[in-house]
Amino acid sequence: MKPLFKLFLPLCILAACGGTSADPEEEEIPAPAPQGPVVKVMSYNIHIGNPPSKPADYRELEAAANVINLQKPDLVALQEVDVNTRRSGSTVDQAKELARLTGMHYYYTKAIDYQGGQFGDAVLSRLPILEKRRYELPVTSQLGGETRSVALITVEKEGHKFHFASTHLDHLGPEDNRILQANELVKVVKELTLPLIIAGDLNAVPTSTTMGILFQQLSSGCQSACPFTFPAINPTRTIDYIMVHPLNKFNIKSYRTITETYASDHLPLVSEIQLKK
């Protein structure tokens, strides 16, 4: 009996003292970190409302609107948008009409004057637009070409205020204009005081000098494996992007193209992005 008593006594003392295990009811379980809201963002070069398989009348906006309505994004960056041009209709404001067809707010910026009207970029927003700004992206004197624009708005979702922007970089073969425009865009980003989501047709592949400049300041969900976005049928390269700044204010949850080949020569690009404090 003595050996058994000697073994039992330390166990009793350990139990009486509580040992090293805590009462489960007294353990403090840390509260889960609050999850920020998610915004669904689309980038779409609408080819001036002209399905590539149709004659060049540039007036079939319903096709692009249907693409947007099926995805139900919070924000859309549009490129190749006509306002009151002869080719699209001197009374047709494509940005305004797409806003009507989708039930969204809009902001349009001119890149160039064209055929009695304007050609440029626009944003659509399901969130109220708090502020809006236009920036101009220049071209080199040696290469010439079309100046480009940035359409930037400020919006807020569930207490998270941020910028959203659309742009379209130069399309010419030499990269000179795009490099100049990328450097100008970096200057714009550095001056902003709120987080930014920017999207558009940048006419540059991920390994280009242009994108190298932008990736120093902007983060994309596709830096290592970007989905091809152009041409819409049998795409062979990535030239459309959705990017953020700074990265620690966002969590890119998904990033993909939508297989839609009728409305435009570009595939629509969609990303779900969580906002962080």
Side-chain angles (χ1 to χ4, degrees):
M1 294 296 291
K2 274 188 177 183
L4 183 60
F5 176 79
K6 287 181 181 179
L7 177 64
F8 182 69
L9 183 60
L11 292 176
C12 291
I13 294 171
L14 182 62
C17 295
T20 57
S21 60
D23 186 336
E25 293 184 358
E26 295 178 0
E27 287 184 357
E28 291 188 6
I29 300 173
Q35 296 294 306
V38 173
V39 291
K40 189 174 186 180
V41 174
M42 173 183 282
S43 183
Y44 201 13
N45 180 323
I46 62 167
H47 198 245
I48 325 169
N50 177 217
S53 61
K54 293 292 187 72
D57 62 7
Y58 304 101
R59 303 187 191 198
E60 197 173 328
L61 289 175
E62 289 82 2
N66 289 340
V67 174
I68 295 167
N69 286 333
L70 282 171
Q71 292 301 315
K72 297 180 174 60
D74 296 293
L75 298 157
V76 185
L78 300 171
Q79 303 86 47
E80 293 195 12
V81 182
D82 265 4
V83 172
N84 306 132
T85 66
R86 288 191 296 276
R87 68 180 172 188
S88 301
S90 59
T91 62
V92 177
D93 181 331
Q94 290 191 332
K96 184 177 181 179
E97 180 63 7
L98 279 171
R100 184 187 70 81
L101 291 169
T102 59
M104 301 174 79
H105 307 285
Y106 80 100
Y107 174 55
Y108 166 83
T109 58
K110 178 187 80 169
I112 59 170
D113 294 313
Y114 190 81
Q115 289 188 353
Q118 300 175 357
F119 171 78
D121 307 286
V123 292
L124 302 176
S125 175
R126 215 164 292 283
L127 305 167
I129 296 174
L130 306 177
E131 297 175 15
K132 45 197 174 186
R133 298 181 222 171
R134 174 188 181 270
Y135 296 91
E136 186 171 297
L137 302 179
V139 295
T140 65
S141 56
Q142 296 84 358
L143 191 58
E146 302 172 354
T147 58
R148 299 293 174 145
S149 74
V150 179
L152 183 143
I153 61 173
T154 305
V155 293
E156 184 174 357
K157 185 167 185 180
E158 298 178 23
H160 295 254
K161 189 180 288 188
F162 62 98
H163 297 304
F164 177 69
S166 172
T167 195
H168 183 191
L169 299 191
D170 182 77
H171 66 291
L172 299 178
E175 205 175 356
D176 306 52
N177 281 346
R178 288 188 292 279
I179 290 172
L180 177 64
Q181 291 166 356
N183 281 310
E184 188 67 24
L185 190 53
V186 164
K187 291 178 187 176
V188 170
V189 173
K190 286 180 176 180
E191 291 173 357
L192 298 175
T193 56
L194 292 174
L196 168 71
I197 301 173
I198 184 168
D201 172 8
L202 305 184
N203 280 308
V205 297
T207 55
S208 64
T209 301
T210 298
M211 295 311 301
I213 293 167
L214 292 176
F215 284 149
Q216 291 176 19
Q217 196 69 26
L218 295 159
S219 300
S220 171
C222 74
Q223 284 190 43
S224 59
C226 300
F228 292 157
T229 63
F230 183 85
I233 298 175
N234 299 321
T236 58
R237 57 193 181 275
T238 300
I239 58 175
D240 301 85
Y241 301 84
I242 297 171
M243 299 180 291
V244 300
H245 173 83
L247 183 58
N248 65 0
K249 295 295 183 181
F250 302 97
N251 177 23
I252 300 174
K253 299 179 73 67
S254 67
Y255 190 103
R256 67 192 187 282
T257 54
I258 304 300
T259 306
E260 205 297 319
T261 60
Y262 173 74
S264 174
D265 58 345
H266 287 245
L267 290 176
L269 183 63
V270 174
S271 180
E272 291 178 320
I273 302 173
Q274 186 175 43
L275 308 176
K276 297 162 66 176
K277 288 291 189 184

Short mmCIF file of all heavy atoms in Angstrom, two decimals, residues 115-142:
data_model
loop_
_atom_site.label_atom_id
_atom_site.label_comp_id
_atom_site.label_asym_id
_atom_site.label_seq_id
_atom_site.Cartn_x
_atom_site.Cartn_y
_atom_site.Cartn_z
N GLN A 115 -13.96 64.19 -84.19
CA GLN A 115 -15.14 64.25 -85.05
C GLN A 115 -16.29 65.06 -84.44
O GLN A 115 -17.43 64.62 -84.38
CB GLN A 115 -15.63 62.83 -85.36
CG GLN A 115 -14.73 62.06 -86.29
CD GLN A 115 -15.35 60.73 -86.74
OE1 GLN A 115 -16.40 60.31 -86.26
NE2 GLN A 115 -14.70 60.06 -87.67
N GLY A 116 -15.97 66.25 -84.01
CA GLY A 116 -16.99 67.12 -83.46
C GLY A 116 -17.37 66.82 -82.02
O GLY A 116 -18.19 67.53 -81.42
N GLY A 117 -16.80 65.78 -81.44
CA GLY A 117 -17.08 65.42 -80.05
C GLY A 117 -15.79 65.07 -79.32
O GLY A 117 -14.75 65.68 -79.55
N GLN A 118 -15.86 64.06 -78.48
CA GLN A 118 -14.71 63.67 -77.67
C GLN A 118 -14.57 62.15 -77.61
O GLN A 118 -15.55 61.42 -77.78
CB GLN A 118 -14.87 64.22 -76.24
CG GLN A 118 -14.99 65.71 -76.15
CD GLN A 118 -15.26 66.17 -74.74
OE1 GLN A 118 -15.42 65.36 -73.82
NE2 GLN A 118 -15.32 67.48 -74.54
N PHE A 119 -13.34 61.74 -77.34
CA PHE A 119 -13.00 60.32 -77.16
C PHE A 119 -12.19 60.22 -75.89
O PHE A 119 -11.26 61.00 -75.67
CB PHE A 119 -12.19 59.85 -78.36
CG PHE A 119 -11.57 58.48 -78.23
CD1 PHE A 119 -12.34 57.33 -78.39
CD2 PHE A 119 -10.21 58.33 -77.96
CE1 PHE A 119 -11.77 56.07 -78.29
CE2 PHE A 119 -9.63 57.07 -77.86
CZ PHE A 119 -10.42 55.95 -78.03
N GLY A 120 -12.56 59.28 -74.99
CA GLY A 120 -11.81 59.21 -73.74
C GLY A 120 -12.17 58.03 -72.87
O GLY A 120 -12.47 56.93 -73.37
N ASP A 121 -12.15 58.26 -71.57
CA ASP A 121 -12.33 57.20 -70.57
C ASP A 121 -13.47 57.56 -69.63
O ASP A 121 -13.84 58.73 -69.49
CB ASP A 121 -11.04 57.03 -69.76
CG ASP A 121 -9.83 56.82 -70.64
OD1 ASP A 121 -9.69 55.72 -71.19
OD2 ASP A 121 -9.05 57.78 -70.81
N ALA A 122 -14.00 56.56 -68.95
CA ALA A 122 -15.09 56.80 -68.01
C ALA A 122 -15.05 55.78 -66.89
O ALA A 122 -14.42 54.72 -67.01
CB ALA A 122 -16.44 56.76 -68.72
N VAL A 123 -15.74 56.11 -65.81
CA VAL A 123 -15.96 55.15 -64.73
C VAL A 123 -17.46 55.09 -64.45
O VAL A 123 -18.17 56.09 -64.57
CB VAL A 123 -15.19 55.52 -63.44
CG1 VAL A 123 -13.70 55.38 -63.63
CG2 VAL A 123 -15.54 56.93 -62.98
N LEU A 124 -17.91 53.90 -64.10
CA LEU A 124 -19.27 53.69 -63.60
C LEU A 124 -19.16 53.27 -62.15
O LEU A 124 -18.24 52.54 -61.78
CB LEU A 124 -19.98 52.60 -64.40
CG LEU A 124 -20.13 52.80 -65.91
CD1 LEU A 124 -20.79 51.57 -66.54
CD2 LEU A 124 -20.93 54.06 -66.21
N SER A 125 -20.10 53.73 -61.33
CA SER A 125 -20.03 53.41 -59.90
C SER A 125 -21.43 53.17 -59.34
O SER A 125 -22.33 53.98 -59.53
CB SER A 125 -19.36 54.54 -59.13
OG SER A 125 -19.39 54.28 -57.73
N ARG A 126 -21.57 52.05 -58.64
CA ARG A 126 -22.81 51.79 -57.92
C ARG A 126 -22.82 52.57 -56.59
O ARG A 126 -23.87 52.74 -55.98
CB ARG A 126 -22.96 50.29 -57.65
CG ARG A 126 -24.39 49.81 -57.71
CD ARG A 126 -24.48 48.31 -57.83
NE ARG A 126 -24.00 47.79 -59.08
CZ ARG A 126 -24.68 47.84 -60.23
NH1 ARG A 126 -25.86 48.41 -60.26
NH2 ARG A 126 -24.19 47.33 -61.33
N LEU A 127 -21.66 53.02 -56.17
CA LEU A 127 -21.52 53.83 -54.97
C LEU A 127 -21.62 55.31 -55.35
O LEU A 127 -21.17 55.70 -56.43
CB LEU A 127 -20.17 53.57 -54.31
CG LEU A 127 -19.85 52.10 -53.98
CD1 LEU A 127 -18.38 51.95 -53.64
CD2 LEU A 127 -20.73 51.60 -52.84
N PRO A 128 -22.17 56.14 -54.48
CA PRO A 128 -22.22 57.57 -54.79
C PRO A 128 -20.81 58.13 -55.02
O PRO A 128 -19.87 57.76 -54.34
CB PRO A 128 -22.85 58.18 -53.53
CG PRO A 128 -23.63 57.07 -52.91
CD PRO A 128 -22.86 55.82 -53.20
N ILE A 129 -20.70 59.00 -56.01
CA ILE A 129 -19.41 59.63 -56.33
C ILE A 129 -19.25 60.87 -55.45
O ILE A 129 -20.03 61.81 -55.54
CB ILE A 129 -19.32 59.98 -57.82
CG1 ILE A 129 -19.36 58.70 -58.66
CG2 ILE A 129 -18.05 60.78 -58.11
CD1 ILE A 129 -19.42 58.95 -60.16
N LEU A 130 -18.22 60.86 -54.61
CA LEU A 130 -18.00 61.96 -53.67
C LEU A 130 -17.17 63.08 -54.29
O LEU A 130 -17.41 64.26 -54.04
CB LEU A 130 -17.31 61.44 -52.40
CG LEU A 130 -18.00 60.27 -51.70
CD1 LEU A 130 -17.17 59.81 -50.50
CD2 LEU A 130 -19.41 60.65 -51.27
N GLU A 131 -16.17 62.71 -55.09
CA GLU A 131 -15.31 63.69 -55.77
C GLU A 131 -14.90 63.10 -57.12
O GLU A 131 -14.93 61.87 -57.31
CB GLU A 131 -14.04 63.98 -54.95
CG GLU A 131 -14.28 64.61 -53.60
CD GLU A 131 -12.98 64.76 -52.80
OE1 GLU A 131 -11.89 64.64 -53.41
OE2 GLU A 131 -13.06 64.97 -51.59
N LYS A 132 -14.51 63.96 -58.05
CA LYS A 132 -14.03 63.48 -59.35
C LYS A 132 -12.94 64.40 -59.88
O LYS A 132 -12.97 65.61 -59.64
CB LYS A 132 -15.18 63.37 -60.34
CG LYS A 132 -16.13 64.54 -60.37
CD LYS A 132 -17.43 64.12 -61.06
CE LYS A 132 -18.47 65.22 -60.97
NZ LYS A 132 -19.78 64.80 -61.51
N ARG A 133 -11.97 63.80 -60.56
CA ARG A 133 -10.84 64.56 -61.09
C ARG A 133 -10.39 63.99 -62.43
O ARG A 133 -10.47 62.78 -62.66
CB ARG A 133 -9.63 64.49 -60.15
CG ARG A 133 -9.83 65.08 -58.78
CD ARG A 133 -8.53 64.96 -57.98
NE ARG A 133 -8.79 64.54 -56.62
CZ ARG A 133 -7.85 64.19 -55.76
NH1 ARG A 133 -6.58 64.17 -56.15
NH2 ARG A 133 -8.16 63.83 -54.53
N ARG A 134 -9.88 64.86 -63.28
CA ARG A 134 -9.29 64.44 -64.56
C ARG A 134 -7.80 64.74 -64.54
O ARG A 134 -7.37 65.81 -64.12
CB ARG A 134 -9.94 65.18 -65.72
CG ARG A 134 -9.27 64.91 -67.07
CD ARG A 134 -9.80 65.82 -68.18
NE ARG A 134 -9.18 65.51 -69.45
CZ ARG A 134 -8.06 66.07 -69.91
NH1 ARG A 134 -7.42 66.98 -69.17
NH2 ARG A 134 -7.57 65.72 -71.09
N TYR A 135 -7.02 63.77 -65.02
CA TYR A 135 -5.60 63.98 -65.22
C TYR A 135 -5.29 63.71 -66.69
O TYR A 135 -5.91 62.86 -67.33
CB TYR A 135 -4.77 63.03 -64.36
CG TYR A 135 -4.94 63.24 -62.88
CD1 TYR A 135 -5.91 62.53 -62.16
CD2 TYR A 135 -4.13 64.12 -62.18
CE1 TYR A 135 -6.06 62.71 -60.80
CE2 TYR A 135 -4.28 64.31 -60.80
CZ TYR A 135 -5.24 63.60 -60.12
OH TYR A 135 -5.41 63.79 -58.77
N GLU A 136 -4.32 64.43 -67.22
CA GLU A 136 -3.91 64.24 -68.62
C GLU A 136 -2.57 63.54 -68.68
O GLU A 136 -1.65 63.87 -67.91
CB GLU A 136 -3.82 65.60 -69.33
CG GLU A 136 -3.54 65.48 -70.82
CD GLU A 136 -3.67 66.81 -71.54
OE1 GLU A 136 -4.80 67.36 -71.55
OE2 GLU A 136 -2.65 67.29 -72.09
N LEU A 137 -2.45 62.58 -69.58
CA LEU A 137 -1.20 61.86 -69.78
C LEU A 137 -0.63 62.26 -71.14
O LEU A 137 -1.28 62.07 -72.17
CB LEU A 137 -1.44 60.34 -69.72
CG LEU A 137 -2.06 59.81 -68.42
CD1 LEU A 137 -2.26 58.31 -68.51
CD2 LEU A 137 -1.18 60.16 -67.21
N PRO A 138 0.57 62.83 -71.18
CA PRO A 138 1.10 63.43 -72.40
C PRO A 138 1.70 62.41 -73.36
O PRO A 138 1.82 61.22 -73.06
CB PRO A 138 2.20 64.36 -71.87
CG PRO A 138 2.68 63.66 -70.63
CD PRO A 138 1.47 63.00 -70.03
N VAL A 139 2.09 62.92 -74.53
CA VAL A 139 2.83 62.12 -75.51
C VAL A 139 4.16 62.84 -75.77
O VAL A 139 4.29 64.04 -75.52
CB VAL A 139 2.06 61.94 -76.83
CG1 VAL A 139 0.80 61.12 -76.59
CG2 VAL A 139 1.69 63.28 -77.46
N THR A 140 5.13 62.10 -76.29
CA THR A 140 6.43 62.69 -76.60
C THR A 140 6.33 63.54 -77.87
O THR A 140 5.55 63.24 -78.77
CB THR A 140 7.50 61.61 -76.79
OG1 THR A 140 7.17 60.83 -77.93
CG2 THR A 140 7.60 60.70 -75.57
N SER A 141 7.15 64.58 -77.95
CA SER A 141 7.15 65.43 -79.15
C SER A 141 7.70 64.66 -80.35
O SER A 141 7.30 64.92 -81.49
CB SER A 141 7.99 66.69 -78.89
OG SER A 141 9.31 66.34 -78.50
N GLN A 142 8.59 63.71 -80.12
CA GLN A 142 9.17 62.96 -81.23
C GLN A 142 8.16 61.97 -81.84
O GLN A 142 8.06 61.86 -83.06
CB GLN A 142 10.41 62.17 -80.75
CG GLN A 142 11.57 63.03 -80.27
CD GLN A 142 11.41 63.44 -78.82
OE1 GLN A 142 10.42 63.12 -78.16
NE2 GLN A 142 12.41 64.16 -78.31
#
